[in-house]
Structures are given as structure tokens and as C-alpha cells.
Amino acid sequence: MVQWVGPRNRETAKPRNLRAMKRTILLLLLTTPLLAQSLDERVQREIPTLLETYKTLHASPELSMQEAKTSAFVAKRLRELGYEVTERVGKYKDPAATCYGVVALLRNGNGPTVLVRSDMDGLPVSEQTGLEYASTSGVMHACGHDVHMTTLLGTAKLLADLKSQWRGTVMLIGQPAEEVVKGAEGMLADGLYERFARPDYAIALHDWATLEVGKIGYRAGEFMAATDSINITIRGAGGHGAAPHTTKDPVVLAAQTILALQTIVSRERPPLQPAVITVGKIEGGTKRNIIPDDVRLYLTVRTFDAALRRRTLESIQRIPRGLAIAAGVPDDRMPVYEHLDHESVDATFNDPALTTRLANAITRELGKENVVEIDPAMVSEDFGLFALGRRIPAALLVIGAADPAALAAGTQPGLHSSKFAPADPALALRTGVRAAVASVLDLLKK
């Protein structure tokens, strides 16, 4: 049976149906773009806020083991995003020192736990970049930790927004004291995994001054070198600068030692096994016409191979002693060798399977042309400690920060330079956040 609707009913029905259709269309217009938005579009929307955060962090760096304000800033932002945040996680061997580690958890059902780390400390470098937001304190984010923290916060925001797309637990780490390789050890010593969660994967991103901005670099296996910090005190017998024959001049011995140490690399090391021995600081003397009793050398040593590392350290002990004997220095004035265990760390190893998986996920997001394999580096990191001796798959990837033209011309400032800054901070952050979010989503996908 068909019911006839008269003209009046038809006219009154039209507006009702039309209003319902308009409401439906409006709802679709409001929701469909959000559901269909690409990750890049979502990240791009956050760039103004991320740039503001980056500039704030860049202008106010703090030295290793002094990151009180920086860690509080990071913790506050993570709390605002809905994360469960704990501050001052970690303990150093010096009980008087405060470890400013930050741990933030976002739990989203059953699934793996992924640790994402950012370091937070600055360097004792007077910034010479000329940026309007440059640090003026004599401390500088010359290694890009401001980029790392901002990337972490951007990643936190996107993962909170995209909870419908993943299951598991995100564990974000604000790590202090990376530059003196104490922060990761300190957080682990404070029961990081026992107190919070033991991750199934650990990942990190570090900006890179030899890779074009807009690209992500990866390297499976041995990626960053082991580092050893060593002090050598060259001891002699001081006296008048006009009567050197009455002394055992430690300045001359120190000069001979510095040059002789380089023969370890050129004459004792196998040519295909890399090693670096650098004397970065020399202390000695008070006046030009006084030969001092002692000169102190400060070394950093970088190696990959464990056996080569051991032999190199043995040679560094042998050579100064041999030169002192040759100079007639008495037995009770032989050089003093000091290895700083708390400023030394093993090589950073990227789990090959995890590294490949992340590179593939990031390639799908950024495109093949923007994800490149890079060479191992002689710089060092303590991120590898989070892997617990390779028992937890871990991977450290890099975010390009270099100006392509400066890179081609050989004028690109390197990390730890007073003139280093990302060539395009917005692009570096956009690339880093997209890479980090794509990585986590792949590891925690439903």
C-alpha cells in the first residue's frame, strides 16, 4: 500500500530531509579529512609549534649532569600530551650528583613496548652561528640535542593522536649526560627496566652534519665507535728555562709523546681496522722561563674491534714510559696513566634485522630517494647501553642536517662546531618526526 503525501506534507518533509542530509555531509566533511590525512600532513600542521619549541631549547642549553630546566620542560610537555611521566630517573656513581632522566609512558592495550630516546645535554661551546635565537651562555646545542628533543615531543604528539593505529606501549626517554656517556648507564642503574618496562625494541634518531637535510640515514651492524677517555701525566724535573740541561723537561717529553702516539694508528694498527687517537687538551707550565715538573695530556681514543681496542690502550701505556726511560727520567717519575671508566663506552651496534625493518618503514613514508645507507662513524654514543649487550634489538638512525651546497663545497660545519645548526630546522624536524612515527607505528601495528 502506498500512502499519498499531499503537497503540504511534501513541502514540510523536504526541509527535514535536506537538513538531515546537510548534517550528514557536514559531519563527513569534518571527519573524513582527519581520517584520511597523511602522516606528512599531520606533521606539517605541527611544524609552527615544533619550531617554537626548537628555538626555546636551542637558546637555553644546559651542560651534562645539569639539565634541570631542560628535563622539566620536556617532562611538562609530555604530561600535557597525556603521558605518564616520571622525572629524575637515574643515579650516578657520585651520590651527590642528580640524574635528570625523564621517562614517559603511553599505554595502549596489549602489544610490544618500544623505547624512543632523546638526549638532552649541551656542550661547553660558545655559539657563533649568528642565529637570532642563539645561545649566549657559553653552552651550546652543538650536537643537535635540541633537534632530538623537539623530534621526541613531536613524535609524542602524533602517537597520542594516532592511538587507533597501534597497540602496545610507547616508552619515551629524555636522557641526560650523553656527552659524557653517563646518562644511559645512570638510568639503567636506577632500575629503568625494572621500574617501568623492559622494551622489546629501542630506537633513537641523531642529527647528522654529513647528510643532506630532508634525508634519513641508517647503518646496520657496527655504527659508532667505542670511546676511551684517558689522562696521561708526563712527569719530569723542572727548573730554569735558561738551564734546560739541569732538568728533565716534561714539555719536550709531552711533545714527543703526542707524536709517537700517532704511530700506533699508522704502524701498529691493521690498515683495514679504523682507530683514532686524539690529544684534545694539554696542561702544563706557569711561565715562559720556567720548565714545569709535570704536563698533563687528555686523550680520546676511538676503535671498533674489541681486540684492537685492547692493544691500542696497552700501547698508549707503553709509549710514554719508553720515552721517559730514554730521556733518563727516574723510576719514581714515570708517566701516570689514568683510564676514565665513567667516560668510556663500547661501540654502538645497530641490530641488522631491526635496522632493515625501520629503513623499509621510513622508505614507505619518505620515499626511496630520502632514505640512504651511510658509513660507520668514529664518533661515540651511549645509546647502545639500552640494548643490554645486544639482548634488546636497538637501532640508532640519523636525521640529515646539512646544507647540500655547503656539503658539496666542503664548508658545512660539523657536529660540536660553534657554527653548527641544521640548515633548515623545519625540514629536519618534519623529516625526523615522520621517520620516528613511521618506525613506531610499524613496530606497534595492530
Side-chain angles (χ1 to χ4, degrees), residues 386-410:
F386 290 113
L388 299 181
R390 304 188 188 181
R391 296 195 297 276
I392 296 173
L396 174 64
L397 281 66
V398 300
I399 307 168
D403 174 13
L407 201 59

Side-chain angles (χ1 to χ4, degrees), residues 61-211:
E62 294 175 295
L63 289 172
S64 305
M65 305 177 70
Q66 300 177 27
E67 310 92 340
K69 294 179 181 179
T70 303
S71 63
F73 179 93
V74 171
K76 180 176 182 292
R77 291 293 180 90
L78 290 171
R79 281 197 186 94
E80 291 170 351
L81 294 172
Y83 285 73
E84 174 190 328
V85 179
T86 305
E87 296 180 68
R88 299 199 175 187
V89 177
K91 57 183 180 181
Y92 298 125
K93 292 180 180 179
D94 178 2
T98 301
C99 189
Y100 293 102
V102 177
V103 178
L105 298 174
L106 187 61
R107 307 177 197 273
N108 189 27
N110 296 326
T113 296
V114 176
L115 181 155
V116 185
R117 186 219 66 167
S118 165
D119 34 18
M120 303 187 295
D121 49 333
L123 287 160
V125 175
S126 295
E127 183 166 353
Q128 303 294 326
T129 61
L131 295 170
E132 62 180 13
Y133 49 89
S135 168
T136 58
S137 65
V139 181
M140 179 186 174
H141 275 305
C143 201
H145 295 187
D146 46 356
V147 173
H148 307 168
M149 288 184 281
T150 308
T151 298
L152 186 79
L153 293 173
T155 300
K157 173 65 165 64
L158 269 294
L159 290 174
D161 290 346
L162 296 170
K163 287 181 71 174
S164 63
Q165 297 187 23
W166 58 273
R167 287 291 181 268
T169 299
V170 174
M171 182 180 188
L172 303 181
I173 299 293
Q175 183 208 307
E178 183 277 328
E179 294 293 353
V180 293
V181 294
K182 291 182 179 179
E185 179 184 46
M187 296 186 76
L188 290 166
D190 199 21
L192 174 66
Y193 293 161
E194 293 77 14
R195 292 173 57 188
F196 301 98
R198 175 173 169 144
D200 297 280
Y201 308 98
I203 63 177
L205 290 169
H206 197 298
D207 67 344
W208 215 236
T210 55
L211 182 65

